[in-house]
Amino acid sequence: MAEPFTRAAIYLRISMDREMDGLAIDRQRADCLTIAETRGWAVVREYVDQSRSATDKTKRRPGYDDLVSGFEAGEFDAIICWDLDRLTRQPRQLEDWIDAAEARGLRLVTANGEADLTTDGGRLFARVKAAVARSEVERKTARQSAAQAQRAAQGRAPKGMRPVGYSVAGEIIEHEAEAVHAVFTAFNGGSSLRAIAAALSGETGERIPARVPALPRHTRTVTFERNSRRDEENKTLPPEKQRKLRPVPDEAPWPPSTVLGMLRNPRYAGYSTYTRKDGQLDGGKRRARRASILQGETGEPVRGQWKPIVDEGVWSSVQERLDSSERVTNRVGTDRRHLGSGLYRCGVCEQRVRGHTSRYRCAGHITRSREQIDAYVTAAIRARLACPDLADLLPNRNEPRLHEIKAEVGAHRAKIARAQRDYDAEVIEGRDLKRVRDHEEAAIKVLEAERLRLAANATAGAVLGAQDPVAAFDATDLGAQRAVIESLCQVRLHGHPRGVKAFNPDTVAIDWNK
Ligand SMILES: [Zn+2]
């Protein structure tokens, strides 16, 4: 139906972002004009940005800025853009437009038909879309910083606090390395984190794994070392330039969480790591992330230049045991009546929320309406499942194949070892050794890339691997839906002002797993 007095602005943007090319301004304009024509809107102005990214807050987009001031000056009542990615990929800006749509009656439609901010459904879609877009950007940033870390890591151990077992320069510290090795062996043999921590702390007793030696607490050791380095430096400096020594933490038992950190550290298996910096999606809050394995161009793990302390096979089976025990003990638990109970976390204390009839609760922190949150999370999951790169995230634990890969990697390593022996025995030349090694290592890289892809959650695999993951998600049972959510993201609930009825998606933080 025609809406005769609507004045519309058209916003057009082309970007050099690779995923956005191929949609020239003329095509966008034609589609937008069709919308205006169909709705009977008068186009009063066109705003254009060329080659500007919508994701980077620091990059200026003059066309967009003019659009904002044009709206504030009341020059139009509707905006037409080709898709929401053209307009903005920043949830904050999108929220401003949604507010404008709600409060001032702005009409915002996209030519590709995906969002119409004049409807509830359109607004929900727009929010989910912006959240997903934002997370795509974060993933890209993570990949880029991974590339930088990779360059930096070549030949060098990562900076920062040294892990137990390695010096700052990445050399093995023998007695610590033995302890690390024993920790992995004990855990793989069924010891608990608590028992291992007790053994490291020098306790003795029945359940204490015997081969784990006592060690001073690592933070204490490291502080001593740092202080003595500083002390040496200070001797060469004038008094005003000398740096203060840090207080040494008291001797205390090892906490199980430190043992967990050791078991999770990929460096012990010789993998290079990086720690992702947080993006802005969850309101700038930072949270600890464990180091991830740095991956090369083809997804193969990047090797550090240091000597591994534990075998890769041991390391990955420890990860599998940790993953499954985390799932059993603190996650899903006994409370599985609702989509998010025991699964979503409290944004205040990080505990898993409990589900009640119509609410999710963390006592003393938050009480939220279940329906709104489940609708939002479900919409986000469905949008994620519809992403074309979903295959890259596929969890698909294929145990027999994992064993095959392990055996194949072993065979390739044996060939390298044999060539090395032949070289040492002067049977072959150095260039032959290099040729064999390059060849075998290339094959190992491919296998390891495959193993990384395979190592993931099995329950979710059925949905994620389906022909149509969105339909499979819709059709499956609650337990499998929960597994899908768990394998794709972490959901944190924040407080919501009392008495405010409108759902604010900023209060539900979805962090997509890498
Ligand atoms: Zn809480």
Side-chain angles (χ1 to χ4, degrees):
M1 203 177 73
E3 300 167 56
F5 301 115
T6 300
R7 298 159 305 155
I10 288 179
Y11 178 73
L12 308 172
R13 180 172 66 85
I14 57 167
S15 160
M16 299 315 275
D17 291 359
R18 216 187 319 157
E19 80 272 27
M20 284 196 185
D21 58 16
L23 194 61
I25 289 281
D26 289 343
R27 157 95 194 281
Q28 292 182 42
R29 179 184 292 120
D31 288 349
C32 291
L33 287 172
T34 307
I35 289 267
E37 205 177 291
T38 326
R39 299 208 175 202
W41 293 353
V43 175
V44 292
R45 199 174 151 187
E46 184 182 291
Y47 301 86
V48 185
D49 282 315
Q50 299 261 7
S51 304
R52 290 179 194 273
S53 164
T55 52
D56 185 352
K57 278 187 197 163
T58 60
K59 271 190 198 134
R60 283 181 45 79
R61 293 194 285 151
Y64 181 87
D65 293 344
D66 289 349
L67 176 80
V68 172
S69 28
F71 174 67
E72 279 163 1
E75 287 167 14
F76 51 84
D77 340 281
I79 298 174
I80 308 170
C81 54
W82 197 85
D83 65 11
L84 285 173
D85 287 347
R86 299 300 129 174
L87 185 64
T88 178
R89 299 179 111 191
Q90 295 175 31
R92 176 48 51 209
Q93 290 181 349
L94 184 66
E95 282 302 320
D96 290 344
W97 290 119
I98 292 173
D99 285 350
E102 282 172 343
R104 296 168 57 183
L106 170 77
R107 292 153 189 271
L108 196 159
V109 296
T110 58
N112 70 348
E114 66 186 5
D116 182 343
L117 291 195
T118 56
T119 69
D120 279 349
R123 284 192 288 272
L124 176 65
F125 178 88
R127 284 170 167 142
V128 166
K129 167 113 186 174
V132 170
R134 183 75 238 167
S135 83
E136 287 303 310
V137 172
E138 286 171 357
R139 283 171 3 105
K140 225 189 296 172
T141 310
R143 283 199 290 273
Q144 282 160 2
S145 66
Q148 282 153 11
Q150 180 177 354
R151 282 191 291 277
Q154 272 160 5
R156 292 182 66 188
K159 286 191 167 181
M161 184 162 140
R162 71 172 185 85
V164 185
Y166 290 111
S167 71
V168 175
E171 281 138 9
I172 297 262
I173 298 174
E174 216 48 67
H175 73 286
E176 289 189 359
E178 275 167 30
V180 171
H181 194 270
V183 165
F184 275 84
T185 310
F187 187 78
N188 232 3
S191 295
S192 69
L193 298 179
R194 193 173 301 278
I196 293 171
L200 284 171
S201 312
E203 291 173 30
T204 50
E206 238 180 287
R207 298 231 184 109
I208 308 295
R211 272 168 306 183
V212 177
L215 269 189
R217 256 186 100 180
H218 190 53
T219 43
R220 191 169 149 90
T221 307
V222 167
T223 312
F224 270 127
E225 290 170 357
R226 190 186 286 132
N227 281 350
S228 77
R229 276 197 306 275
R230 259 183 204 182
D231 205 27
E232 284 302 308
E233 284 165 19
N234 282 347
K235 284 179 188 160
T236 67
L237 296 172
E240 70 276 8
K241 290 209 169 155
Q242 291 183 3
R243 295 200 295 169
K244 273 198 185 138
L245 303 188
R246 298 213 185 163
V248 177
D250 291 335
E251 188 55 86
W254 286 68
S257 60
T258 308
V259 177
L260 176 62
M262 285 168 76
L263 291 170
R264 281 295 193 191
N265 192 343
R267 288 184 62 188
Y268 291 131
Y271 296 121
S272 253
T273 61
Y274 70 97
T275 310
R276 207 186 86 170
K277 292 209 174 58
D278 260 351
Q280 285 138 346
L281 184 61
D282 41 5
K285 280 178 303 300
R286 299 184 68 100
R287 59 192 180 85
R289 282 174 195 274
R290 64 176 183 240
S292 308
I293 297 177
L294 200 58
Q295 295 184 16
E297 295 280 300
T298 55
E300 82 285 358
V302 173
R303 301 253 143 218
Q305 301 293 311
W306 53 87
K307 224 173 116 191
I309 293 176
V310 297
D311 179 81
E312 294 158 73
V314 170
W315 189 83
S316 47
S317 75
V318 162
Q319 306 317 305
E320 284 174 28
R321 199 184 144 206
L322 286 172
D323 291 345
S324 61
S325 68
E326 272 172 16
R327 268 198 295 279
V328 172
T329 55
N330 19 338
R331 294 210 179 182
V332 185
T334 52
D335 185 2
R336 35 175 89 224
R337 288 162 298 164
H338 309 301
L339 193 64
S341 44
L343 178 60
Y344 305 158
R345 287 173 186 275
C346 165
V348 179
C349 71
E350 293 282 303
Q351 297 287 318
R352 308 277 170 169
V353 297
R354 307 283 301 267
H356 297 269
T357 41
S358 64
R359 313 215 174 279
Y360 289 123
R361 266 190 84 215
C362 178
H365 291 146
I366 49 166
T367 302
R368 300 289 311 267
S369 153
R370 204 160 58 72
E371 210 173 284
Q372 283 181 330
I373 288 164
D374 286 352
Y376 181 70
V377 171
T378 303
I381 293 288
R382 295 174 91 254
R384 192 78 191 91
L385 290 172
C387 282
D389 69 344
L390 185 69
D392 296 344
L393 312 165
L394 265 194
N396 173 16
R397 175 170 299 169
N398 178 336
E399 292 291 347
R401 182 63 191 140
L402 283 171
H403 282 104
E404 268 173 40
I405 292 173
K406 204 174 163 185
E408 286 170 27
V409 167
H412 288 296
R413 291 214 184 289
K415 282 187 192 167
I416 296 176
R418 196 161 60 232
Q420 181 70 51
R421 277 196 305 276
D422 288 350
Y423 173 74
D424 291 343
E426 296 182 19
V427 176
I428 62 169
E429 304 279 340
R431 64 164 186 275
D432 296 322
L433 172 60
K434 184 180 184 307
R435 187 174 44 75
V436 171
R437 178 175 282 147
D438 289 351
H439 183 77
E440 299 305 319
E441 275 177 352
I444 291 171
K445 275 188 174 182
V446 172
L447 288 165
E448 282 173 341
E450 186 185 350
R451 180 163 69 190
L452 280 187
R453 282 196 303 276
L454 287 174
N457 181 317
T459 322
V463 168
L464 297 169
Q467 198 75 4
D468 180 350
V470 178
F473 178 80
D474 288 345
T476 195
D477 62 22
L478 190 66
Q481 288 185 333
R482 288 161 57 87
V484 169
I485 296 174
E486 194 183 6
S487 78
L488 288 179
C489 63
Q490 293 191 33
V491 178
R492 278 184 186 69
L493 308 183
H494 299 286
H496 203 267
R498 246 175 244 278
V500 176
K501 251 190 138 181
F503 174 67
N504 174 2
D506 278 356
T507 62
V508 180
I510 299 180
D511 278 324
W512 300 98
N513 296 336
K514 217 172 52 69

